[in-house]
């Protein structure tokens, strides 16, 4: 009996050091090549999520515009006191039309703002009223490392239509901000204001605009 057991034990072949080294190298190679692909999948999912969130913000803004259009005769966006007033830091030069200002801003200025450390001082937070807004800080509705500023009236307008709540970005450095380029002209030549919403993670890529 013991002799048979000895033979069975001797017949079992273990892994050599060389085989172990080859296996380890193969696993390391697989991990190195697979990691970036998994990272890309994660980033892609976050991009889809944040664009969906921006769409929700635009829907609320569009509803706000239509309601004020019905009640006041001229539509305006959250934060605007009148349709021809800016929210944030983009105004019209003398004689400039809204669509011209929007095109210039999107194609020549916004395109260069590719991360949250870019100069975003012309934007205001969608859901935060001030730098010490505890709800916004706890909810992740703002990133206090950006240069984005605040518009209390606009944030309260948006929060009201979101059930006194806000939305946080899926990105660690992300948050939602917006600006309104004023409406222009009068009568049949009047142009509605334009709204731009960004995720501060990468404003150049993660943005949408609304022109009613």
């Amino acid at each position: 009996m013991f002799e048979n057991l000895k033979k069975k034990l001797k017949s079992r072949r273990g892994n050599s050091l060389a085989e172990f080294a080859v296996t380890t190298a193969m696993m390391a190679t697989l991990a190195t090549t697979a990691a970036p692909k998994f990272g890309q999948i994660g980033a892609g999912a976050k991009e889809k999520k944040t664009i969906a969130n921006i769409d929700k913000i635009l829907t609320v803004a569009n509803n706000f515009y239509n309601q004020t259009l019905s009640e006041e005769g001229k539509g305006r966006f959250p934060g605007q006191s009148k349709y021809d007033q800016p929210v944030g830091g983009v105004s019209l030069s003398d004689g400039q039309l809204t669509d011209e200002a929007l095109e210039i801003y999107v194609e020549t200025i916004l395109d260069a703002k590719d991360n949250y450390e870019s100069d975003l001082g012309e934007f205001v937070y969608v859901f935060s009223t001030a730098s010490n807004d505890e709800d916004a800080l706890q909810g992740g509705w703002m990133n206090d490392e950006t240069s984005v500023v605040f518009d209390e009236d606009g944030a309260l307008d948006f929060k009201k239509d979101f059930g006194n709540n806000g939305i946080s970005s899926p990105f660690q450095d992300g948050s939602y901000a917006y600006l309104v380029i004023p409406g222009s002209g009068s009568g049949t030549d009047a142009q509605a204001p334009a709204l731009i919403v960004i995720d501060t993670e990468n404003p150049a890529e993660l943005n949408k605009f609304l022109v009613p």
Side-chain angles (χ1 to χ4, degrees):
M1 177 178 176
F2 289 107
E3 291 298 325
N4 290 335
L5 181 59
K6 287 180 181 180
K7 287 180 181 179
K8 288 181 180 180
L9 290 174
K10 287 181 180 180
S11 67
R12 289 182 179 176
R13 181 174 176 269
N15 293 327
S16 68
L17 185 60
E19 289 173 327
F20 179 76
V22 170
T23 302
T24 302
M26 290 175 64
M27 291 175 65
T29 301
L30 286 171
T32 302
T33 56
K37 293 182 180 179
F38 283 121
Q40 290 169 6
I41 292 171
K46 289 180 180 179
E47 288 179 6
K48 290 181 180 179
K49 175 64 175 177
T50 204
I51 292 300
N53 286 343
I54 289 175
D55 283 336
K56 293 177 183 177
I57 295 169
L58 293 180
T59 297
V60 165
N62 191 56
N63 291 341
F64 186 97
Y65 178 89
N66 288 330
Q67 181 177 346
T68 55
L69 176 63
S70 175
E71 295 174 352
E72 303 170 10
K74 284 188 180 292
R76 56 186 174 87
F77 286 122
Q80 284 188 294
S81 56
K82 294 182 179 180
Y83 87 104
D84 58 355
Q85 296 296 311
V87 178
V90 179
S91 299
L92 301 178
S93 58
D94 290 341
Q96 188 177 35
L97 297 176
T98 306
D99 58 358
E100 295 173 344
L102 176 63
E103 182 178 1
I104 291 171
Y105 185 82
V106 170
E107 293 185 0
T108 66
I109 301 175
L110 183 59
D111 191 55
K113 301 177 185 292
D114 58 2
N115 64 75
Y116 74 98
E117 294 180 322
S118 302
D119 180 8
L120 302 175
E122 66 269 38
F123 284 92
V124 301
Y125 281 112
V126 175
F127 300 111
S128 180
T129 58
S131 59
N132 61 351
D133 184 339
E134 287 298 326
D135 288 339
L137 290 169
Q138 293 177 10
W141 307 338
M142 59 180 284
N143 176 358
D144 56 11
E145 296 183 15
T146 72
S147 55
V148 175
V149 295
F150 303 91
D151 184 278
E152 182 176 2
D153 291 338
L156 290 175
D157 285 338
F158 270 116
K159 287 175 68 176
K160 179 181 177 181
D161 287 332
F162 273 90
N164 293 317
N165 211 330
I167 303 176
S168 60
S169 166
F171 293 99
Q172 180 177 350
D173 296 315
S175 53
Y176 298 113
Y178 77 107
L179 62 81
V180 178
I181 299 174
S184 59
S186 60
T188 57
D189 295 327
Q191 291 190 2
L195 179 142
I196 303 173
V197 179
I198 62 167
D199 187 325
T200 58
E201 168 73 15
N202 186 346
E205 296 293 333
L206 305 175
N207 71 78
K208 280 195 170 186
F209 60 86
L210 172 64
V211 181

